[in-house]
Amino acid sequence: MLLRLGGTWRLADGLPGVDEVEREVDRARPPSVTIEGSGLGAWDSALVVFVDAVLEGCRARAIPVDASGLPAEVRRLVEMAQASAAPVERTVRAPSGIERLGVRALERHGRLGAAVAFIGETALALGRFASRRARFRSQDLWLLVQQCGAEALPIVALVNFLVGIILAFVGITQLRYFGAETYVADIVGIAVVRDMAALITGVTLSGRSGGAFAAQIATMNVTQEVDALRTFGISPVEFLVVPRVLALAAMAPFLTLFADATGILGGAVVGTTMLHQPFEGYVRQTALAVAAGDVVGGLVKGATYGLLIALTATFQGMQAERTAARVGDAATQAVVTGIVSIIAACGVYQYVFFLFGW
């Protein structure tokens, strides 16, 4: 049986019933029903309600329905309506110990596959951005750049300034046993520029921006805004993930460079007060100890940390379940995973730089 739909379908024009369709199905008892919608004009939820009712009626009569002739947007909305109306299957028996182990392993395997697929989809979306085919709002990108960059400067400056003070205190305390406390400027400058500025900035961004990204996207999952993007034919990865990845990866090196300056300044405060060394002499000694390669290596690490934080945060947000409690869980997982990933990346960079003698 062929059910051909055409014309305008709007709630304001009245919703046709499915009684006539059901009577015809009961009379003819066809082996299958095909719905074709090439003649459709303007439509709203009235069409979705009608198609859903036809599917329910045919399902009750055990008659298969082919709805591939409908527009893709209508099919997606109908699938969402069918999924929300499907009965929830409840597990009667709790799994045993070995079954729980298997369930955990399958969940980890599925999550790993989802992570690999997400990274691949993000790479493709970034390729479309490079060719100017990605679909997102440019004002969102600039707003994220401001949030990840200028608005993060105060907390990044404060934390790195304190870290510089701590490094200088520890350096002077230990070097004093050897009468070499004057080399504290060298130690603080190299430590801050090569590792600590990028690492501390990454940890700060993971807690500040990474958690916010995950919570925002998880909330959009709960409110079905991500589903709405897919319904309109817009890739959520292009619209939500790409701007956040670009903003954080682009701003992290600049924040790292700013952190270099504030960390060295914190060390200078301690060095000039405890050692009674002139500020100009401390800065000159730091400049002689720090090479251009150290600065470049720190900036490369900062960009990598920003990329890792953005990827982990957006992935946790996209994978969040649609409950309010999972929004907080997604933010927590994003922060924890982001910090672990940047520390692991720091170790990898240290080993690679050691191999190349950098």
Side-chain angles (χ1 to χ4, degrees):
M1 177 179 289
L2 175 62
L3 178 60
R4 181 177 288 111
L5 306 179
T8 302
W9 289 69
R10 294 187 183 276
L11 286 172
D13 300 331
L15 181 65
V18 297
D19 298 338
E20 184 177 353
V21 176
E22 291 180 348
R23 284 196 299 269
E24 188 64 24
V25 169
D26 291 334
R27 184 189 64 80
R29 284 291 174 181
S32 64
V33 174
T34 301
I35 304 178
E36 196 270 334
S38 60
L40 287 171
W43 57 273
D44 56 15
S45 58
L47 177 62
V48 179
V49 172
F50 179 83
V51 174
D52 182 67
V54 172
L55 293 177
E56 289 295 332
C58 293
R59 182 180 294 110
R61 294 166 175 78
I63 298 175
V65 180
D66 179 14
S68 60
L70 291 173
E73 294 81 3
V74 179
R75 293 201 306 271
R76 280 195 288 266
L77 290 174
V78 171
E79 289 171 1
M80 290 171 57
Q82 294 281 311
S84 62
V88 179
E89 296 183 1
R90 300 185 180 276
T91 304
V92 178
R93 181 180 62 85
S96 61
I98 189 65
E99 289 176 339
R100 285 198 298 270
L101 182 62
V103 169
R104 293 281 182 85
L106 291 174
E107 289 177 353
R108 294 292 177 86
H109 181 270
R111 199 163 183 82
L112 178 61
V116 173
F118 175 79
I119 293 174
E121 191 173 355
T122 303
L124 293 175
L126 289 174
R128 288 191 290 271
F129 168 79
S131 60
R132 299 184 179 181
R133 292 186 292 113
R135 301 176 64 185
F136 65 90
R137 296 192 302 179
S138 59
Q139 56 265 37
D140 289 347
L141 176 59
W142 295 117
L143 178 62
L144 290 167
V145 166
Q146 177 183 348
Q147 293 174 350
C148 298
E151 295 181 7
L153 282 178
I155 184 64
V156 169
L158 175 62
V159 174
N160 282 277
F161 181 79
L162 296 177
V163 169
I165 291 177
I166 294 170
L167 288 175
F169 266 121
V170 174
I172 292 175
T173 303
Q174 297 302 315
L175 292 175
R176 181 167 290 171
Y177 292 109
F178 307 97
E181 60 267 24
T182 55
Y183 291 100
V184 67
D186 304 59
I187 294 177
V188 172
I190 294 174
V192 167
V193 171
R194 295 193 67 169
D195 286 305
M196 295 307 298
L199 185 62
I200 298 302
T201 301
V203 172
T204 305
L205 289 177
S206 180
R208 184 187 180 278
S209 301
F213 288 172
Q216 290 167 1
I217 298 178
T219 303
M220 297 180 72
N221 254 332
V222 173
T223 57
Q224 297 183 345
E225 294 178 60
V226 176
D227 293 329
L229 289 174
R230 292 194 180 98
T231 301
F232 284 113
I234 300 174
S235 170
V237 174
E238 290 184 11
F239 197 84
L240 301 175
V241 176
V242 168
R244 286 165 171 80
V245 170
L246 292 174
L248 201 54
M251 289 295 102
F254 293 101
L255 292 174
T256 301
L257 191 61
F258 186 75
D260 291 340
T262 54
I264 292 173
L265 180 61
V269 171
V270 176
T272 54
T273 54
M274 293 185 66
L275 301 178
H276 304 289
Q277 183 179 6
F279 181 78
E280 295 80 3
Y282 185 96
V283 173
R284 188 181 304 109
Q285 186 176 352
T286 301
L288 293 175
V290 176
D294 299 331
V295 178
V296 173
L299 296 180
V300 170
K301 291 178 182 179
T304 304
Y305 299 161
L307 179 63
L308 290 174
I309 294 167
L311 288 175
T312 54
T314 52
F315 172 72
Q316 294 294 340
M318 295 291 289
Q319 293 295 313
E321 299 179 8
R322 299 181 181 183
T323 59
R326 294 295 179 261
V327 175
D329 294 343
T332 302
Q333 289 292 331
V335 174
V336 173
T337 308
I339 293 175
V340 172
S341 63
I342 63 177
I343 293 177
C346 181
V348 173
Y349 269 123
Q350 290 289 0
Y351 180 71
V352 172
F353 288 173
F354 172 77
L355 289 180
F356 288 95
W358 194 355

